Amino acid sequence: MAHKPHKETGIFINEVSSHQRRYHKVLELTHSTTKAAGVMLLGAIVALVVANTAAHEGFIEFWHTEVSFGFGAEHAEMSLAHIINDVLMAIFFLLVGLEIKYEMTVGELTDVRQAILPVAAAIGGVLMPVGIYLLFNASNPETVMGWGVPTATDIAFALGILALLGSRVPAGLRVFLSTLAVADDIVAILVIAVFYGHSPSMMWLAAAAVVMVVLVALNRTHVYSLVPYLLVGAVLWYCIFMSGVHSTIAGVLLAFAIPSRSHVRLKSFASWSGQRVKVIGQTDYLASVTRLARVSRQVVPPATRLERRLYPWVYFAILPLFALTNADVAFIQVPAGDILSSPIFLGVFFGLVIGKPAGIMLMSFIIVKTKLSTLPENVNWSHMLGAALLGGVGFTMSIFVANLAFADAAYVMVAKVAILAASLVAGVLGFTFLFFQAKAATRRGQRFEMELPSANNRQSHAAHEAERRYKRELIQDENE
């Protein structure tokens, strides 16, 4: 049975009702996967345009402006570009870590049989691009370390493109692609931590381990306030930054320390809160409302609260800034022929456009044929191919790895051209393929209902996004 969109009618006074409506519209906007991908794409386009105009030099100088930090006699400097890549991107990895933890605790990665298909597909989607990249670069010691560049899938872009098709694609395909992207992120994080750091300082690593013990102790002693975790997490970031391991790993480690379960019994809370509402006005009004608000905040797990707060800032501010500062490819500086014939370009481009879908499809085929798992409900092999093509959209994570893999700025530029070209081709091919699949399904009168997560587990941005999208489509159906 379809539910009407929830409206908080009658709660607010008339004078602020319009403000609440505007607030919900802003909330809807800033939690849209498709719009987030659009804003990131806009940032990349602006960077590309500026990089090929006379303003490029000033643009570069601005992002390399040094920002000073000082306390007493201590003094440190960091450029704006490094603040984005080392500090703000650690917040992005914190969000990624929270999403991974959700999937591993109450999401798709808890059921081994259900998880094995997307996880195996993600592994195939990493190994095949590495093989293709090494075909072009294995003999060159200066470029061989770029093998990690074509291994990543940009979860926001891939899911944003898929979201454009709405309920014309099966819900199981969204679950498959999102779980694959999460597993892909786990591999990418391990690759960055193991292969793309500097020689680590054992002293600072030991300090980071001590800080991590403190975070685990906070979790084990049932500290549910986010403030202690964020303060200690900032210390963890500094220790890892000083150790030589890439500082963004601190975000993932912090995410795994933050509690993902509520310490409030939901069934008991329902009856308790109902009793508190009944006595408001009969006893001390302020005490009753304060107590109800305090306990209500604790119903939502800390990890979920942080994830929902971070999502709009990460996808509408941090990642667009990352795109703006890292997609600045100046085509006019290098002849196109030199770029297109570069083994870096060939390895990255074909690794993403061919290696990613080939690896995903091959591993999926093996897993299904050996009966270790099955295709998701209503999903066929044509749908799987469309999702595999979208897996070739690298963008954010691929550019991030390229910056770490190459010391030569010219190599980084070539890798970025390959990433942007491959992401465009993979995105267009994947969307077009699935669009025609959807058109064929429509002609057959087939429409896929959106499967909502269980109400008990609706504790991630992805779950709430699915619910909002479902409600929008219900309204569209009623108006048709």
Side-chain angles (χ1 to χ4, degrees), residues 240-393:
I240 292 181
F241 176 79
M242 295 300 292
S243 74
V245 177
H246 202 275
S247 55
T248 52
I249 301 303
V252 181
L253 294 176
L254 174 59
F256 276 82
I258 296 173
S260 58
R261 298 185 185 276
S262 172
H263 66 303
V264 176
R265 296 187 181 94
L266 294 180
K267 290 183 179 179
S268 300
F269 172 75
S271 59
W272 178 87
S273 59
Q275 293 170 3
R276 296 284 80 73
V277 170
K278 289 178 182 178
V279 300
I280 288 177
Q282 299 175 16
T283 58
D284 187 338
Y285 169 81
L286 185 59
S288 297
V289 171
T290 302
R291 191 178 180 194
L292 182 60
R294 177 173 54 81
V295 177
S296 297
R297 281 195 300 271
Q298 296 176 41
V299 171
V300 182
T304 305
R305 279 187 275 133
L306 183 58
E307 182 187 0
R308 298 194 71 194
R309 290 177 187 174
L310 287 180
Y311 186 90
W313 292 104
V314 168
Y315 285 102
F316 286 86
I318 293 174
L319 290 185
L321 276 174
F322 177 82
L324 191 63
T325 55
N326 288 276
D328 55 332
V329 177
F331 296 106
I332 57 177
Q333 293 181 356
V334 183
D338 291 351
I339 295 175
L340 297 178
S341 61
S342 166
I344 294 175
F345 178 89
L346 296 173
V348 173
F349 181 84
F350 289 112
L352 285 169
V353 174
I354 295 177
K356 266 288 181 183
I360 291 170
M361 289 299 290
L362 178 61
M363 286 300 290
S364 298
F365 184 79
I366 292 172
I367 293 298
V368 171
K369 290 304 176 182
T370 54
K371 298 184 179 179
L372 292 173
S373 186
T374 59
L375 292 181
E377 187 178 0
N378 295 323
V379 173
N380 56 41
W381 285 109
S382 295
H383 290 131
M384 292 289 286
L385 179 57
L389 288 168
L390 290 179
V393 179

Side-chain angles (χ1 to χ4, degrees), residues 23-75:
Y23 168 75
H24 284 295
K25 287 181 180 178
V26 171
L27 195 66
E28 186 82 19
L29 171 69
T30 56
H31 284 77
S32 167
T33 307
T34 306
K35 292 179 177 64
V39 174
M40 280 190 285
L41 181 61
L42 179 62
I45 291 171
V46 170
L48 284 172
V49 170
V50 173
N52 292 278
T53 64
H56 184 222
E57 186 174 343
F59 182 79
I60 294 296
E61 288 180 0
F62 171 77
W63 291 115
H64 284 85
T65 302
E66 294 290 330
V67 178
S68 298
F69 305 90
F71 184 80
E74 298 297 324
H75 182 77

Side-chain angles (χ1 to χ4, degrees), residues 13 19 38 71 85 146 168 230-231 257 260 278 346:
I13 61 175
H19 298 307
F71 184 80
N85 290 339
R168 288 174 288 186
L230 297 179
L231 291 176
S260 58
K278 289 178 182 178
L346 296 173

Side-chain angles (χ1 to χ4, degrees), residues 85-98 185-198 205 208 212 215 233 236-241 243-257 397 400-401 404:
N85 290 339
D86 290 326
V87 181
L88 296 185
M89 286 301 285
I91 299 174
F92 163 68
F93 276 86
L94 171 58
L95 180 61
V96 170
L98 291 170
D185 282 343
I186 295 173
V187 176
I189 289 164
L190 292 174
V191 166
I192 292 169
V194 175
F195 296 101
Y196 291 117
H198 301 291
L205 281 180
M212 196 64 204
L215 285 168
L236 177 66
W237 176 90
Y238 182 76
C239 292
I240 292 181
F241 176 79
S243 74
V245 177
H246 202 275
S247 55
T248 52
I249 301 303
V252 181
L253 294 176
L254 174 59
F256 276 82
M397 198 71 84
F400 189 83
V401 174
L404 301 175

Side-chain angles (χ1 to χ4, degrees), residues 427-438:
V428 170
L429 284 177
F431 175 81
T432 303
F433 191 86
L434 288 172
F435 177 77
F436 282 110
Q437 284 290 312

Side-chain angles (χ1 to χ4, degrees), residues 112-136:
V112 175
R113 183 171 171 79
Q114 200 171 12
I116 192 170
L117 178 63
V119 170
I123 293 171
V126 168
L127 296 179
M128 189 70 78
V130 171
I132 289 178
Y133 183 87
L134 292 177
L135 283 177
F136 294 99

